[in-house]
Every structure is written in structure tokens, then in C-alpha cells.
Amino acid sequence: MKKIMYLWCAFALLVFAGCSSDKDDLGDSSQDVFSQNEEIFLAQANMEPEFNNPSLNCWNFNPRSQETENTGAHQEEITRDGNGITKVSFRNTPIEYRPSTSEEFVATYIGVDFSENYQWVRSMKSTDGTRNTEVYDQYYKGVKVGGAGFAIHYKNDERITLVTGSYLPVKDLDVTPAFSVTTARNIYARYLNVPVEYIGEANLVIGQYPLSQESDQFAPRLTYYLVYINGANAEGYCSLDAKTGRILVTRANYILN
């Protein structure tokens, strides 16, 4: 009987030790440290960007899309491209049909909930005080949609006169990255063959990319947007797929070089 009790005690100690080890592993993961998971993504990361077009990045959307113009029910001039609305002018619209708030504009012309999809960035007034501009960035499930948002212009703080910007339709996109910021920075550092200290903080950004190098079809992707810092200058940029670890596109910063 004593022998059985000893065996049970030994088994309990082993279980406790295993649980403690698992807890430690989870703790390391939550603290964003170099892990076996990172090694997997580093090993499968591509050393040549998936796309060779440097103008293709999470801020520019679909460069191949064509703009079209049409007139709305109240003489508003609406410009659209493959990414959605880019401009709405109300210069010929009777005052009573012009939206009076950004919430009203988004609900009417975009058809989404304003508070869930937009965050205020800044307000600007003209020097004579007759014109006011409100700038908003687009978000999806709390993640910024790169390059998307609107500048909403008012005259005399009454009704909206002009809206410029872009809206990227995003639907059913999982915004949980498959690996950490640390892993993303290490992948880009390895690609550049520089110490990871040269890579600034990575930010999660939703961008739109072709389904393949030759495809004309685009789809939103969750990406890490990284910056290569050399001294005081930003020397390069990288968009990295936050689900696969693949480098989508890189770009040198020719302006600051």
C-alpha cells in the first residue's frame, strides 16, 4: 500500500512539474521572446519579395484600378475606383441634401457604421475661419487600414461641401497575427542582413495585394509594416504577411538617402 502511495506522489510531482513548465512556456510566448515558433517562420520566410512592384504597398492599394465618375440623386459628383469611393463633391447639391456630419456621410455613401470603422486624426481650419476639415482614418476590428480614410470639408461649419480619400471594403478578415512583432522584425533584419536593432517597431496594417504576381484580382491582407532605420534616417520599408511570414514587398527610401 505504501509503495502505491509513493508512486502516486511521484506521479503528482511529475504532473505539477509539467504544468509549471507549460506555464513558463506560455509566459515566454506572451512576453514576445525569441521562440521555436519564430524559428519556423524565419526558416520559411522568402528572401525575394513576393511582388517586385515597389509602388505596391499597404498605403497605395490597387494601382491598376480605373476611376469612374457618376452623378448622384441630388447632383453630387461621385468618383470611384477599384478601391471604393475616392471623392464626393456637393458643389451642385442643394444645401438641404448635403450631409451635415461625417457620420451621416459614411452611413449614406459608404453604408457602414462610422464609430466602428473610423477614428478621428485631426481638424484643420482655414486662416479666415470659413472652412473646416476633419480627417479620419479607416480601421477594421481595431487594425488600421493603410492609406484609407477621408478628409471631410465643411464651409462655415454648416454642411459638407467635399469629401476626398478612399475606402477599402474589408470583410471577414482575421486580424490576429500568426507570430509576434519580434519575429517580424527578425525576418526583415535577416532579409537585409543587418542587426535587428536597425528595424523599428512593426505595426499591424491591413493592405490590399494581388492574389499572385500576374493577377489583376486584389484582396485585403493583414500585414506588418516595418521600417529600416540607419542612424537618423528611414532607409527602407517592408510589408510582411502577418499570417505566413512572407515578405510581400520592399522599398528603399530614395528621398532620405
Side-chain angles (χ1 to χ4, degrees), residues 114-134:
F114 179 83
S115 61
E116 291 182 0
N117 290 272
Y118 289 91
Q119 292 186 20
W120 177 86
V121 178
R122 62 184 176 275
S123 299
M124 300 174 289
K125 274 189 177 294
S126 62
T127 54
D128 61 6
T130 62
R131 293 182 299 278
N132 181 41
T133 301
E134 298 284 337

Side-chain angles (χ1 to χ4, degrees), residues 69-90:
E69 295 184 3
N70 67 291
T71 303
H74 303 293
Q75 299 303 307
E76 61 270 49
E77 299 169 7
I78 304 172
T79 304
R80 301 177 184 269
D81 64 12
N83 305 308
I85 285 179
T86 58
K87 183 171 71 173
V88 181
S89 172
F90 297 96

Side-chain angles (χ1 to χ4, degrees), residues 197-255:
E197 290 76 18
Y198 283 73
I199 309 302
E201 278 298 313
N203 295 305
L204 279 177
V205 180
I206 294 170
Q208 187 174 221
Y209 295 87
L211 300 182
S212 68
Q213 179 69 39
E214 297 78 21
S215 178
D216 288 325
Q217 291 185 300
F218 283 63
R221 290 199 198 186
L222 181 69
T223 69
Y224 280 111
Y225 185 73
L226 305 104
V227 181
Y228 165 42
I229 305 293
N230 189 359
N233 293 333
E235 297 265 347
Y237 302 88
C238 173
S239 291
L240 186 71
D241 192 305
K243 291 295 185 181
T244 66
R246 291 186 62 80
I247 297 171
L248 298 177
V249 64
T250 62
R251 179 171 66 89
N253 189 348
Y254 299 106
I255 296 176

Side-chain angles (χ1 to χ4, degrees), residues 94-115:
I95 188 74
E96 64 269 22
Y97 293 114
R98 299 179 185 180
S100 58
T101 65
S102 52
E103 290 85 351
E104 184 182 351
F105 169 79
V106 168
T108 303
Y109 293 92
I110 308 300
V112 298
D113 183 86
F114 179 83
S115 61

